[in-house]
Structures are given as C-alpha cells and as structure tokens.
Amino acid sequence: MKTSLRILGSAALLGMVSMAQAEVAVIVNPGAAKAPSQSDVANIFLGKDKSMKGVDQAGWTPAKEAFYSGVTNKNESQLKSYWSGLIFTGKGQPLPSVADDAAMVAQVAAEADAIGYVDSAAVNDSVKVLFTLP
C-alpha cells in the first residue's frame, strides 16, 4: 500500500513538473501584416512598439513567467517596477489582459493586429505561432 502511494505521489509530482515546463507559444492572427522578430515582440510587450496590439495574461502564470523571462529578460517584480515607472511619468499604460489561454487565443484570432502568448497546448488553427519558448 505504501509503495502504491509513493508511486502515485511521484506520478503527480512529475505531472506538475511537466506542466510547469510546458512550452509557451507566441501567437498572432494568421492575417497579421508582418511577423515581428523576438526583439520586436519584446518592444511590443514593453510598450515601446505600437505596430501590433500586445495582449497580456492576467495574473502571474507559468506561461507569463516563461514569456517575460524569455523575451524581455524581466521577472515579475522587474516588470511591475518597469510599468510603475511608465505609469508614474505618464509615458505608458500596461497592456490589456485576458483571463486565460482560451481567452488569449480567442482575442488574437479576432483581431488582425493582436499578438499574445499561451501554453503551446492551447494553440489551435485560429492563430499562427511565431515562435516557442521552453
């Protein structure tokens, strides 16, 4: 009985680890006029480039952590500090956000100039993947 519980516990832990390490897909509308580079994507999500409408995820999720650390080299506290500075000086506002991966896919699919990020498992044919992050 103890062995069965250990195996079950190990399997659950492995499942949680693999979920935390899922790939993140940067997505755009299939009809997007241009495909931005990774540095362009960083500038869009930092409010420096307005060529596309960046859509953020609400809260600090594993996908959001992987996206911002991989694309902008910023963690949660650095990102909050960055936006606080822009808001305080009147130079910018945070991007609009959606609740989850499904809402992100729907938003990006609905707007020709939208760009976002999701767990790669949430990608479907309504959006185009620019690149993925581990």
Side-chain angles (χ1 to χ4, degrees):
M1 181 70 169
K2 286 183 183 178
T3 304
S4 296
L5 288 176
R6 269 193 231 134
I7 291 171
L8 184 60
S10 296
L13 183 59
L14 264 175
M16 290 188 322
V17 169
S18 67
M19 283 186 348
Q21 295 177 349
E23 283 190 333
V24 174
V26 177
I27 58 172
V28 295
N29 184 290
K34 73 171 202 167
S37 68
Q38 191 164 333
S39 63
D40 292 337
V41 173
N43 287 329
I44 291 166
F45 278 85
L46 293 174
K48 297 176 183 178
D49 181 344
K50 307 280 190 215
S51 65
M52 295 188 83
K53 179 186 173 191
V55 182
D56 213 349
Q57 291 208 16
W60 199 256
T61 65
K64 188 171 184 172
E65 174 71 33
F67 172 77
Y68 276 101
S69 66
V71 173
T72 68
N73 295 317
K74 293 189 184 300
N75 62 29
E76 182 178 13
S77 63
Q78 291 168 325
L79 190 64
K80 285 180 181 179
S81 176
Y82 173 82
W83 281 111
S84 292
L86 287 180
I87 293 166
F88 181 74
T89 60
K91 294 181 180 176
Q93 290 293 316
L95 302 174
S97 62
V98 295
D100 55 25
D101 286 344
M104 178 71 75
V105 170
Q107 180 85 21
V108 171
E111 295 186 39
D113 64 342
I115 182 170
Y117 57 90
V118 294
D119 183 300
S120 61
V123 173
N124 61 35
D125 292 342
S126 69
V127 295
K128 176 181 171 184
V129 175
L130 285 181
F131 57 87
T132 58
L133 301 162

